[in-house]
Each structure stands twice: as C-alpha cells, then as structure tokens.
Amino acid sequence: MRLRQIEIFHAVYSCGSVTMAAEYLNVSQPSVSKVLRNAEDTLGYKLFDRIKGKMVPTAEAHALFEDVKGIYDQLGALQNRANNLKLGRSGHVRIAVMPALGLDVLPRAIAGFRQKHPDVTFDVSTAHFSEILSSIREQNCDIAIAFNPPALAGIARHPVGRGEFVCVHQAGDVPIREGRVSLAALNEREVVGIRSSGPLSQLLAAHLQNSQVQLQSVVSVQTYYIAKNLVGFGCGIALVDHLTALAGSEPALERTPLEPAIPYEVVALSDEGRPLSRVCANFLRHFREVYAEVGTL
C-alpha cells in the first residue's frame, strides 16, 4: 500500500464512513472512494463491506489495521518531528567551549533551554582554543564558544558578550582602590600562572608588557579554574577570566577587577560553510540571554 492509501484506509476505518473520513482529511468524498478502491484493487481483496451506508471492516481489514496503525503513528511522529525541527524545538546540538564557560553559564543555559524544549539533546566538550578550532574545522561540533578569538578564514563569528580579567586573591592580599587593583601594584608579585592557552593568555601577556609589569609565576597550570583553586588554598594570587572568578562560592576568596581594565569578547564560532540549524540558532539566542543575566561582573 502507498502512503496515501494507508492514510485513507486509516481514516475510513477510524471514522466508520467515507463522508466522515473525507471531512477529517479535508478532501472530497469521491477522492476518498477512489483511493480506497485503488487500495482494494492493489491488495486483491475488499477492505470494507458497504452495509446501510456504513463502512464495515472485513476480517482482512481488521488484521491489516494493526500494522497500518503503527505506520500511521510513525508518520504522525515524523510530522511532529519535522515541525519541531522547523521551529527549532527538536534536534541535537554539539557544543565545544572553553573550560570556564562550562562552570556555570553553559549548564544554566542548557538546563533552561531543555525545560522549554525537552526534545533537544546536547553533546558538550570542553577544550582549549586550538582544539576548539580543530573541532569546528573537522565538523565535530556545531557551535564553539571562546574568549577573544581572532578573525579566521572560514569561521563565522556570532558575538555573545564581553568580559574582563579579574584578580582573585585572599582578603587583604592586594591593595584595592575604588573597587579595582592597579596592575602596577602587582609588579613582581608571586602568582599562579597560566601556560599559554590561546588568545586570552596572549591578551594578558600583551597588557602586562605594555604596562611594564612582571609577575613571578610560582606555579603554572593549564586552566584558570585550577589557578583559582590554588589561590583558595593560599598559593598567592591569580589573574583569571571573569567567569572563572564568578564560579563557586569560596568565602575567603575575593575577586577584584584590574586597573586599567583588560576587556575581551566572548564569541560563538561556527563553520562558515555550514549555516546553523534552527535549533542551534535558537539555543545561541538563549545562551546570549543567559550570559547577559549571569555572565557579567
């Protein structure tokens, strides 16, 4: 049976008459009768007996309906799926982010999005900047979110927001004036340093050089979150991104912006040759909203 024949058979069987089936399908009665006759000719047996104006299913129709119902239900599910994909309410989103974004903002965004769209699934990976670029170019992710990425050929940019570097320290460890700590006041200080991890560490190094400030790295780590935790256990101070500074609730740890400020962009990246799906575009809009709400100092 063809799909149209399945649809007509299901409607007539369920409604009990050609007239009601035609109304249900919003088609003419003759078209329903014609498709039904074609189905019976194709099958080689009758599906309904016409008794007193009613369509009474034959034994073959009863047996066939069990399978037809399953197919019809699948067709309905397929239609719903297609509509949800059109509206961006269903699908799969693959995201690669810098570790700091996975501490609070991204989990909040995913949880909030799935409350509204429970049919959307996610795959999340955290990586350093070079790995994120590889993930985009090898099409292993749909969206990547990074700090201060440079403009790159073949990579589309979707601005999310802004942030700035923060000094995390124990209470009283740094001189604070008008809510900020001067870079000059940190000259020769012992810090937990970050090994080069892409554009963000390059930005910090350039600002320190321009300000003629030298920091003494006593411990070197790969992620800002580990640096922050080391400060929490008494290992000096650290200059970290603002999202890392905001995450967690260490009571003895303070976070103070720098003077002059060292700002940076938060940008979503994607393959320029592969436009974002509706669900990815919808999630990105939602992520921006969450970032604006909880991702600023």
Side-chain angles (χ1 to χ4, degrees):
M1 296 179 72
R2 298 178 179 178
L3 289 178
R4 184 58 174 168
Q5 293 172 339
I6 290 174
E7 183 181 33
I8 293 295
F9 169 66
H10 184 276
V12 174
Y13 186 101
S14 301
C15 296
S17 76
V18 170
T19 301
M20 294 179 65
E23 291 178 357
Y24 173 73
L25 296 173
N26 196 28
V27 297
S28 67
Q29 294 181 39
S31 66
V32 172
S33 298
K34 181 179 178 180
V35 173
L36 193 57
R37 283 196 303 271
N38 290 339
E40 291 178 328
D41 291 342
T42 300
L43 293 170
Y45 50 79
K46 293 178 64 176
L47 293 171
F48 298 93
D49 291 317
R50 284 73 173 173
I51 301 175
K52 296 181 180 180
K54 293 185 178 181
M55 303 293 284
V56 180
T58 63
E60 292 81 4
H62 285 305
L64 194 62
F65 185 76
E66 294 302 317
D67 290 330
V68 166
K69 184 178 183 300
I71 294 172
Y72 195 78
D73 289 344
Q74 289 179 12
L75 289 173
L78 176 61
Q79 184 62 54
N80 288 336
R81 176 78 165 178
N83 289 336
N84 285 336
L85 286 171
K86 178 181 179 180
L87 298 172
R89 295 173 179 170
S90 179
H92 186 63
V93 182
R94 301 172 302 162
I95 306 175
V97 297
M98 306 292 286
L101 288 155
L103 297 175
D104 185 83
V105 178
L106 182 63
R108 283 176 183 264
I110 290 176
F113 194 79
R114 291 202 73 253
Q115 285 180 356
K116 298 178 181 178
H117 310 298
D119 290 334
V120 177
T121 57
F122 288 83
D123 181 84
V124 178
S125 60
T126 57
H128 293 293
F129 184 69
S130 60
E131 297 168 325
I132 279 179
L133 288 182
S134 296
S135 186
I136 297 173
R137 287 172 171 152
E138 294 169 8
Q139 298 185 2
N140 291 325
C141 72
D142 303 306
I143 303 169
I145 307 175
F147 294 119
N148 226 52
L152 297 166
I155 303 295
R157 297 168 62 88
H158 314 274
V160 172
R162 298 181 65 83
E164 65 176 281
F165 271 95
V166 174
C167 178
V168 289
H169 55 89
Q170 299 280 350
D173 270 6
V174 298
I176 300 174
R177 183 178 179 181
E178 296 182 354
R180 290 184 174 266
V181 55
S182 168
L183 272 180
L186 301 180
N187 191 43
E188 301 296 337
R189 286 292 302 264
E190 291 187 350
V191 302
V192 179
I194 307 295
R195 292 195 290 276
S196 180
S197 59
L200 206 56
S201 61
Q202 294 168 11
L203 175 67
L204 176 61
H207 273 268
L208 292 174
Q209 184 175 4
N210 291 338
S211 301
Q212 297 183 332
V213 172
Q214 292 187 345
L215 303 178
Q216 305 300 319
S217 180
V218 293
V219 182
S220 295
V221 297
Q222 283 188 311
T223 64
Y224 291 99
Y225 190 69
I226 294 176
K228 176 186 173 183
N229 284 346
L230 284 166
V231 174
F233 283 101
C235 289
I237 64 173
L239 304 184
V240 304
D241 64 272
H242 74 292
L243 292 180
T244 297
L246 289 170
S249 57
E250 299 87 343
L253 205 56
E254 295 185 357
R255 48 183 182 264
T256 306
L258 301 171
E259 178 59 45
I262 305 179
Y264 49 80
E265 293 181 296
V266 180
V267 180
L269 307 171
S270 64
D271 187 335
E272 198 169 54
R274 298 175 67 235
L276 292 177
S277 67
R278 287 180 181 271
V279 68
C280 287
N282 285 348
F283 175 73
L284 187 53
R285 282 193 291 270
H286 175 74
F287 183 84
R288 286 194 187 100
E289 293 171 0
V290 174
Y291 184 89
E293 181 181 351
V294 301
T296 54
L297 287 168

